[in-house]
Short mmCIF file of all heavy atoms in Angstrom, two decimals:
data_model
loop_
_atom_site.label_atom_id
_atom_site.label_comp_id
_atom_site.label_asym_id
_atom_site.label_seq_id
_atom_site.Cartn_x
_atom_site.Cartn_y
_atom_site.Cartn_z
N GLY A 140 12.35 -4.20 6.51
CA GLY A 140 12.30 -4.87 7.81
C GLY A 140 11.22 -4.40 8.74
O GLY A 140 10.21 -5.09 8.91
N THR A 141 11.40 -3.22 9.32
CA THR A 141 10.54 -2.85 10.44
C THR A 141 9.08 -2.67 10.05
O THR A 141 8.20 -2.84 10.88
CB THR A 141 10.99 -1.53 11.07
OG1 THR A 141 10.78 -0.48 10.11
CG2 THR A 141 12.46 -1.58 11.44
N ASP A 193 13.30 -9.86 11.10
CA ASP A 193 12.33 -9.03 11.82
C ASP A 193 10.99 -9.04 11.08
O ASP A 193 9.94 -9.27 11.70
CB ASP A 193 12.87 -7.59 11.94
CG ASP A 193 11.96 -6.69 12.76
OD1 ASP A 193 11.28 -7.20 13.68
OD2 ASP A 193 11.93 -5.47 12.49
N SER A 194 11.03 -8.85 9.78
CA SER A 194 9.75 -8.78 9.05
C SER A 194 9.07 -10.15 8.98
O SER A 194 7.84 -10.23 9.05
CB SER A 194 9.93 -8.17 7.66
OG SER A 194 10.86 -8.90 6.91
N THR A 196 9.23 -12.30 11.39
CA THR A 196 8.65 -12.40 12.73
C THR A 196 7.35 -11.60 12.82
O THR A 196 6.36 -12.05 13.41
CB THR A 196 9.66 -11.89 13.79
OG1 THR A 196 10.91 -12.54 13.59
CG2 THR A 196 9.17 -12.16 15.20
N HIS A 197 7.34 -10.40 12.21
CA HIS A 197 6.10 -9.60 12.19
C HIS A 197 4.96 -10.40 11.57
O HIS A 197 3.84 -10.42 12.08
CB HIS A 197 6.29 -8.32 11.37
CG HIS A 197 7.25 -7.36 11.98
ND1 HIS A 197 7.96 -6.45 11.24
CD2 HIS A 197 7.62 -7.17 13.27
CE1 HIS A 197 8.72 -5.73 12.05
NE2 HIS A 197 8.55 -6.16 13.28
N PHE A 253 0.90 -6.59 11.13
CA PHE A 253 1.11 -6.52 12.59
C PHE A 253 0.68 -5.19 13.18
O PHE A 253 0.35 -5.12 14.38
CB PHE A 253 2.54 -6.90 12.98
CG PHE A 253 3.55 -5.77 13.06
CD1 PHE A 253 3.66 -5.00 14.22
CD2 PHE A 253 4.39 -5.50 12.01
CE1 PHE A 253 4.61 -3.98 14.32
CE2 PHE A 253 5.33 -4.48 12.10
CZ PHE A 253 5.45 -3.72 13.25
N VAL A 258 2.01 -7.57 17.48
CA VAL A 258 2.99 -8.64 17.58
C VAL A 258 2.75 -9.37 18.90
O VAL A 258 1.82 -9.06 19.63
CB VAL A 258 4.43 -8.09 17.49
CG1 VAL A 258 4.80 -7.78 16.05
CG2 VAL A 258 4.62 -6.88 18.39
N HIS A 262 8.41 -10.39 20.11
CA HIS A 262 8.73 -8.97 20.24
C HIS A 262 8.72 -8.50 21.69
O HIS A 262 9.53 -7.68 22.09
CB HIS A 262 7.77 -8.13 19.39
CG HIS A 262 8.23 -7.95 17.99
ND1 HIS A 262 8.16 -8.96 17.07
CD2 HIS A 262 8.83 -6.91 17.36
CE1 HIS A 262 8.67 -8.52 15.92
NE2 HIS A 262 9.09 -7.29 16.08
N HIS A 276 17.53 -4.93 16.75
CA HIS A 276 16.18 -5.45 16.96
C HIS A 276 15.91 -6.77 16.22
O HIS A 276 15.41 -7.74 16.80
CB HIS A 276 15.16 -4.38 16.54
CG HIS A 276 13.76 -4.86 16.50
ND1 HIS A 276 13.07 -5.19 17.64
CD2 HIS A 276 12.92 -5.10 15.46
CE1 HIS A 276 11.85 -5.59 17.30
NE2 HIS A 276 11.74 -5.55 15.99
N GLY A 277 16.24 -6.81 14.94
CA GLY A 277 15.96 -8.02 14.16
C GLY A 277 16.75 -9.21 14.67
O GLY A 277 16.27 -10.35 14.67
N ASN A 280 15.19 -10.60 17.82
CA ASN A 280 14.03 -11.41 17.43
C ASN A 280 14.47 -12.78 16.94
O ASN A 280 13.89 -13.81 17.31
CB ASN A 280 13.28 -10.74 16.27
CG ASN A 280 12.39 -9.60 16.71
OD1 ASN A 280 12.06 -9.48 17.89
ND2 ASN A 280 12.02 -8.76 15.78
FE1 FE2 B 401 9.98 -5.86 14.80
#
Side-chain angles (χ1 to χ4, degrees):
T141 66
D193 184 30
S194 58
T196 309
H197 293 153
F253 91 84
V258 282
H262 272 75
H276 171 69
N280 281 342

